[in-house]
Amino acid sequence: MAVTDRKIQVLIADDDGAIRTVLNQAFTRAGYDVKTANNGAVLWEWIANGEGDLVITDVMMPGESAIDFLPRIQRSRPELPVIAMSAQNTFLTAIKVTEAGAFDYLPKPFDLSELLELAKRALAQKQAAQEEPSDKIDEGISLVGRSQAMQEVYRVLAKTIQSDLSVLITGESGTGKNITAKALHDYGARKSAPYVEVNLATIAPDMMEAELFGYQKDVFSWAEKDGQGKFDESEGGTLYLDEIADMSMAAQMRLLQVLQTGQYSKVGQLEPIKCNVRLIASTHRDLKQLIELGKFREDLYYRLNVVSLRLPPLRERREDIPDLVQHFIKLNHFDMAHPLVIVKAAQERLMRYSWPGNIRELENFIQRLAVMHTGEAVTLDVVENEFSNLNSDSSKNGRNLENDTQTIRDLKSSFENYLQHYFKNYDGALPPPGLYHRMLPEFEAPLLSIALEVCGGNQIKAANLLGLNRNTLRKKIRDLNLQIVKSYKN
């Protein structure tokens, strides 16, 4: 019988009687025929008998979970849309129910008007999205948090993960943009293909096109053979362009060509190369502001921003801090014979801190606690002392200038890895002379940018911090085309 010949029937299943009552009343008032159940077995019996035009179900219920019977619905009644609800508001929950075939996932607590609108959209769709179940989810994934701020992130990821749409990830430094990009690849259709990550801020502007798109031999004086670019390396897989705002205008034009035509050409080559790469980009900067300044192409922005994903700063999801703390303790394999224990008052203090460095700063802080206080209970006094042992301005200004040995090792290791990759392009041969002068701007630019940032854009303070003459600093700012953002600091 066609849906239009009778009232639309909504099947609702939840083991919480209060939720069943509220949903029953809301959908009945909206004109639907409603049936409610308190377990998955009854719900499945109705579905198997051909009842229902829409299913709204809790994920975890007595007898059988939605994750168990969703695949059966996909096989027997693929046209039946299912909206799954859950109080277990994690990224993995969203991914699992989406992979199992749910039309959408709604975290609890939810807005009733949002659910009613979602139901309308589900009923308007003739057939629910069909996705084959993926391999078992890796429980070690680093996307952690149950806050409302993270629920929208999980929902966007769940809907986008199996597609090839370009994604633009925005958010402050340290919010987990690289982890999010990796999750899009690892749980997507291209997970068995290459994943290539490149930080554009580390590439000299005049080498960016060659680095990304490759080059033909002899186009450079030192190029004795054709060179591969990042697009070559990521063919069939995913290319993640971190700090897209630092892309040179020439490279922007080439990237736009890829997104428009699905083809690119190497530097010095006219013949186009077909491209099969999913593109993910990220930035902590305001691209719209850069567009107004003429430093970023507006047409490229809209090509990249097919799916927009904003990662919230940690101060907007403080309730996730306890889960993140436990995650970092396990992730870094600290001494589990004497696990780090953080007392309640200390945890509450961590939740009150602004964390300007976001998740990265929190992880470094937990690493420091684990090293310095192994086998001890971390009290409120311990946390306060650790905060005071940071930069003297960290408590007042919310800025943590991290100078711990772990950060120094990470920087040294990253730079060494980059240099090793640079030399690999020459297959054992030495690169052309002048390496020092080519590499120096790649190191100077982030160093000067960070120094200016922590000094609030004050060039005199930054020059003193760096040990440079003020005129020298000004010249380097011009030569490296650095942006200065002024702020007022005590």
Side-chain angles (χ1 to χ4, degrees), residues 235 262-264 272-276:
E235 177 63 22
Q263 298 179 327
Y264 68 95
I273 301 170
K274 288 185 178 181
C275 174
N276 176 23

PDB file of all heavy atoms in Angstrom, residues 235 262-264 272-276:
ATOM      1  N   GLU A 235      47.978   8.755  -5.682  1.00  0.00           N
ATOM      2  CA  GLU A 235      47.052   8.297  -6.729  1.00  0.00           C
ATOM      3  C   GLU A 235      46.202   7.121  -6.240  1.00  0.00           C
ATOM      4  O   GLU A 235      46.708   6.125  -5.716  1.00  0.00           O
ATOM      5  CB  GLU A 235      47.834   7.894  -7.975  1.00  0.00           C
ATOM      6  CG  GLU A 235      46.981   7.327  -9.104  1.00  0.00           C
ATOM      7  CD  GLU A 235      45.966   8.326  -9.661  1.00  0.00           C
ATOM      8  OE1 GLU A 235      46.170   9.556  -9.504  1.00  0.00           O
ATOM      9  OE2 GLU A 235      44.982   7.863 -10.255  1.00  0.00           O
ATOM     10  N   GLY A 262      39.982  17.299 -13.061  1.00  0.00           N
ATOM     11  CA  GLY A 262      40.445  15.965 -12.705  1.00  0.00           C
ATOM     12  C   GLY A 262      41.786  15.625 -13.334  1.00  0.00           C
ATOM     13  O   GLY A 262      42.168  14.458 -13.416  1.00  0.00           O
ATOM     14  N   GLN A 263      42.516  16.653 -13.772  1.00  0.00           N
ATOM     15  CA  GLN A 263      43.818  16.453 -14.412  1.00  0.00           C
ATOM     16  C   GLN A 263      44.815  17.492 -13.887  1.00  0.00           C
ATOM     17  O   GLN A 263      44.430  18.552 -13.398  1.00  0.00           O
ATOM     18  CB  GLN A 263      43.708  16.587 -15.934  1.00  0.00           C
ATOM     19  CG  GLN A 263      42.798  15.561 -16.597  1.00  0.00           C
ATOM     20  CD  GLN A 263      42.724  15.765 -18.093  1.00  0.00           C
ATOM     21  OE1 GLN A 263      42.787  16.893 -18.591  1.00  0.00           O
ATOM     22  NE2 GLN A 263      42.574  14.673 -18.843  1.00  0.00           N
ATOM     23  N   TYR A 264      46.091  17.164 -14.011  1.00  0.00           N
ATOM     24  CA  TYR A 264      47.151  18.113 -13.676  1.00  0.00           C
ATOM     25  C   TYR A 264      48.342  17.834 -14.572  1.00  0.00           C
ATOM     26  O   TYR A 264      48.393  16.821 -15.285  1.00  0.00           O
ATOM     27  CB  TYR A 264      47.555  17.991 -12.204  1.00  0.00           C
ATOM     28  CG  TYR A 264      48.248  16.685 -11.855  1.00  0.00           C
ATOM     29  CD1 TYR A 264      49.636  16.588 -11.838  1.00  0.00           C
ATOM     30  CD2 TYR A 264      47.502  15.547 -11.544  1.00  0.00           C
ATOM     31  CE1 TYR A 264      50.258  15.390 -11.530  1.00  0.00           C
ATOM     32  CE2 TYR A 264      48.117  14.351 -11.236  1.00  0.00           C
ATOM     33  CZ  TYR A 264      49.494  14.280 -11.224  1.00  0.00           C
ATOM     34  OH  TYR A 264      50.113  13.097 -10.918  1.00  0.00           O
ATOM     35  N   PRO A 272      48.586  16.602 -19.970  1.00  0.00           N
ATOM     36  CA  PRO A 272      47.875  16.426 -18.699  1.00  0.00           C
ATOM     37  C   PRO A 272      47.909  14.981 -18.206  1.00  0.00           C
ATOM     38  O   PRO A 272      48.008  14.045 -18.996  1.00  0.00           O
ATOM     39  CB  PRO A 272      46.446  16.867 -19.035  1.00  0.00           C
ATOM     40  CG  PRO A 272      46.303  16.592 -20.498  1.00  0.00           C
ATOM     41  CD  PRO A 272      47.660  16.828 -21.094  1.00  0.00           C
ATOM     42  N   ILE A 273      47.810  14.834 -16.894  1.00  0.00           N
ATOM     43  CA  ILE A 273      47.792  13.525 -16.246  1.00  0.00           C
ATOM     44  C   ILE A 273      46.464  13.392 -15.515  1.00  0.00           C
ATOM     45  O   ILE A 273      46.069  14.274 -14.748  1.00  0.00           O
ATOM     46  CB  ILE A 273      48.953  13.393 -15.237  1.00  0.00           C
ATOM     47  CG1 ILE A 273      50.297  13.584 -15.942  1.00  0.00           C
ATOM     48  CG2 ILE A 273      48.901  12.044 -14.528  1.00  0.00           C
ATOM     49  CD1 ILE A 273      51.463  13.699 -14.981  1.00  0.00           C
ATOM     50  N   LYS A 274      45.754  12.280 -15.771  1.00  0.00           N
ATOM     51  CA  LYS A 274      44.495  12.071 -15.076  1.00  0.00           C
ATOM     52  C   LYS A 274      44.752  11.821 -13.592  1.00  0.00           C
ATOM     53  O   LYS A 274      45.731  11.170 -13.219  1.00  0.00           O
ATOM     54  CB  LYS A 274      43.738  10.895 -15.685  1.00  0.00           C
ATOM     55  CG  LYS A 274      43.140  11.190 -17.049  1.00  0.00           C
ATOM     56  CD  LYS A 274      42.296  10.029 -17.552  1.00  0.00           C
ATOM     57  CE  LYS A 274      41.660  10.360 -18.899  1.00  0.00           C
ATOM     58  NZ  LYS A 274      40.817   9.247 -19.413  1.00  0.00           N
ATOM     59  N   CYS A 275      43.841  12.330 -12.778  1.00  0.00           N
ATOM     60  CA  CYS A 275      44.040  12.293 -11.333  1.00  0.00           C
ATOM     61  C   CYS A 275      42.862  11.605 -10.644  1.00  0.00           C
ATOM     62  O   CYS A 275      41.703  11.943 -10.901  1.00  0.00           O
ATOM     63  CB  CYS A 275      44.193  13.726 -10.810  1.00  0.00           C
ATOM     64  SG  CYS A 275      44.271  13.864  -9.030  1.00  0.00           S
ATOM     65  N   ASN A 276      43.151  10.645  -9.781  1.00  0.00           N
ATOM     66  CA  ASN A 276      42.122   9.977  -8.991  1.00  0.00           C
ATOM     67  C   ASN A 276      42.528  10.046  -7.523  1.00  0.00           C
ATOM     68  O   ASN A 276      43.092   9.114  -6.963  1.00  0.00           O
ATOM     69  CB  ASN A 276      41.953   8.524  -9.439  1.00  0.00           C
ATOM     70  CG  ASN A 276      40.950   7.772  -8.574  1.00  0.00           C
ATOM     71  OD1 ASN A 276      40.095   8.379  -7.936  1.00  0.00           O
ATOM     72  ND2 ASN A 276      41.072   6.457  -8.539  1.00  0.00           N
TER      73      ASN A 276
END
